[in-house]
Amino acid sequence: MTETFPFFKQRSIQILFAIYAISIPYWAWIQVTGQINTPHNYIWSLIVLGILPVIGGIFGIILSRKWGFLKASLGRAIFFLSAGVMAWGIGSVIWAYYNLVLGVEVPYPSFGDVGYLMSYPFYALGLINLGKGMGAYHKLKTRLGKVALVLVPVLGMAVTYFIFISIARGGEFDYQDSSLLKILFDIGYPLGDATVVTAIGLIYGLSYKVFGGKFKWPINLLFAGQLLLYFGDFFFSYGTTQGTYYIGNLNDLLFVHALFLIAVGVNALNIPGISSRVRDELVMFAPRATEAVNNLVLEIIRRQSHIIGTVAWEEATKVPGLTIDVKNNKLSVDGDPKIVLEQLVGRYEGLFGNASLEICREAARKMVSQLPPEQIPAILK
């Protein structure tokens, strides 16, 4: 399994798997013994709906530093997605506090709902930044992208209204006896779900042909988790409307799988061996290159660094024939320019597939005319 999914070797993911593995037989025992609204229900919920996503979020925020933190698109994506899953977990911890410590029924809305609701804008910001790394941003410039930008949000809102209002609530949306705060939460939840499912539809729909590389599986897990969370919210809304929901039921197990996949997907966006310390000397590095090929290499690295942060420079240092001298502020192509460019682009393509390749090609379009044809690799043509 570690050969197919190398991210299973990561300590953070192993910890998440351990918590998940313990929770499943515990949940099965709760169901078999008919536990409803007992301390076991609340403890199980605290562990897998509270502690697991909080730990996953903390690991993810730490990981975001490897990708430039808030300075690069992927760093921001990992940070906000981690903040989203962490906010959801904090909401569950507060929920468990009402049950285990105060011993009272959880009010609605409660402080726990603040955590749940805050997860949606974090998820949305994370998905938007992730879309840039997957190539969706470039596709938005096309005619198809512009049409999708109009139609997908409309479709997302329509589907969410049908599922969450027409089905889950039986078409009733009565606010006559509700407080303003309750109204805001009642609107905020389906609106947040609609925003997230719309973002996923746009990103995946526009980038599925170009998206690839070693991070394809982690991002697919992340998307699967988000979709499970969407349907988990639907079943929760339906269950509370029908009066059939209780803590630790099948719906909560769906939430567990959703949060687990999101946390694993985010933390799997890791490259072993790269220090989490942001290397400012690489971020600020601006070599005084005069040769056309050096300028092209620099432009490709810079374009990639906007998406993946200092990882772009780290990957460049692994290319044979390319010398990056931070101390003397120099960059030079010492090997065959064609081979160096091909290997440099190949390293980025290995991360996110054709999405990274398109960024390299876009960087090269304005500069390839300055290079002799024999120095331009086919991958950039």
Side-chain angles (χ1 to χ4, degrees):
M1 181 177 288
T2 55
E3 294 180 359
T4 306
F5 303 105
F7 49 82
F8 281 109
K9 298 178 181 179
Q10 294 175 217
R11 180 61 59 85
S12 59
I13 293 179
Q14 290 173 352
I15 292 173
L16 294 174
F17 259 96
I19 299 174
Y20 172 78
I22 293 172
S23 72
I24 299 304
Y26 190 12
W27 178 86
W29 178 83
I30 290 173
Q31 302 307 308
V32 170
T33 56
Q35 305 279 335
I36 297 178
N37 297 329
T38 70
H40 286 291
N41 297 79
Y42 306 146
I43 293 172
W44 177 85
S45 175
L46 173 63
I47 293 172
V48 289
L49 297 180
I51 296 175
L52 185 148
V54 168
I55 291 177
I58 292 173
F59 283 146
I61 290 173
I62 294 172
L63 174 63
S64 69
R65 297 174 59 201
K66 288 189 176 183
W67 297 95
F69 197 50
L70 299 180
K71 296 180 180 179
S73 296
L74 192 58
R76 291 192 295 271
I78 294 174
F79 173 82
F80 286 120
L81 289 168
S82 300
V85 76
M86 187 175 176
W88 211 101
I90 291 173
S92 293
V93 171
I94 296 173
W95 186 293
Y97 176 79
Y98 281 105
N99 291 318
L100 287 171
V101 179
L102 299 181
V104 299
E105 183 178 349
V106 181
Y108 176 75
S110 69
F111 287 108
D113 288 293
V114 176
Y116 295 138
L117 198 61
M118 282 299 299
S119 68
Y120 294 111
F122 285 138
Y123 285 145
L125 288 170
L127 290 169
I128 290 170
N129 281 282
L130 184 63
K132 294 181 180 180
M134 292 177 58
Y137 174 77
H138 299 284
K139 292 295 182 179
L140 282 176
K141 300 177 182 179
T142 65
R143 180 180 298 179
L144 177 62
K146 293 176 181 178
V147 172
L149 187 60
V150 175
L151 294 182
V152 173
V154 173
L155 181 62
M157 291 295 292
V159 170
T160 300
Y161 181 87
F162 176 73
I163 292 177
F164 283 82
I165 306 302
S166 299
I167 298 179
R169 298 189 180 185
E172 296 182 1
F173 218 43
D174 187 8
Y175 296 123
Q176 291 182 355
D177 299 324
S178 300
S179 65
L180 177 60
L181 187 61
K182 183 177 182 298
I183 292 173
L184 291 175
F185 276 92
D186 283 347
I187 295 175
Y189 276 120
L191 183 61
D193 280 305
T195 302
V196 170
V197 78
T198 296
I200 292 175
L202 276 173
I203 294 169
Y204 204 81
L206 293 175
S207 62
Y208 75 96
K209 288 186 177 180
V210 298
F211 174 53
K214 66 171 64 177
F215 293 128
K216 182 176 182 178
W217 269 109
I219 292 178
N220 281 337
L221 291 178
L222 171 63
F223 282 169
Q226 290 286 358
L227 290 175
L228 285 180
L229 194 61
Y230 179 84
F231 287 106
D233 283 344
F234 158 68
F235 286 116
F236 176 80
S237 181
Y238 181 82
T240 53
T241 301
Q242 300 296 320
T244 59
Y245 172 79
Y246 64 90
I247 296 175
N249 69 349
L250 190 60
N251 187 180
D252 277 353
L253 186 64
L254 183 61
F255 278 137
V256 170
H257 285 85
L259 295 166
F260 174 70
L261 289 177
I262 294 172
V264 169
V266 169
N267 282 280
L269 295 170
N270 186 24
I271 298 181
I274 295 180
S275 171
S276 61
R277 180 181 299 175
V278 178
R279 297 175 59 177
D280 292 331
E281 68 273 17
L282 290 180
V283 175
M284 302 302 295
F285 179 55
R288 295 181 290 271
T290 56
E291 299 179 7
V293 65
N294 289 2
N295 289 331
L296 176 55
V297 168
L298 175 60
E299 183 63 18
I300 289 174
I301 297 173
R302 280 177 170 169
R303 291 289 187 96
Q304 292 290 341
S305 69
H306 292 160
I307 304 297
I308 60 177
T310 55
V311 173
W313 292 96
E314 296 277 1
E315 290 295 297
T317 61
K318 300 174 184 177
V319 176
L322 176 59
T323 301
I324 299 178
D325 186 350
V326 177
K327 184 177 180 180
N328 296 312
N329 196 30
K330 291 182 180 180
L331 177 153
S332 62
V333 176
D334 302 321
D336 185 327
K338 184 175 182 179
I339 296 176
V340 170
L341 282 168
E342 191 171 52
Q343 292 186 355
L344 177 66
V345 174
R347 294 208 67 88
Y348 296 137
E349 186 182 15
L351 298 180
F352 290 100
N354 287 339
S356 296
L357 178 58
E358 287 300 318
I359 294 174
C360 294
R361 285 174 173 168
E362 185 175 296
R365 285 191 186 103
K366 297 180 180 180
M367 305 185 71
V368 290
S369 60
Q370 303 174 24
L371 273 68
E374 63 272 11
Q375 292 186 0
I376 305 172
I379 199 171
L380 287 179
K381 294 181 180 178

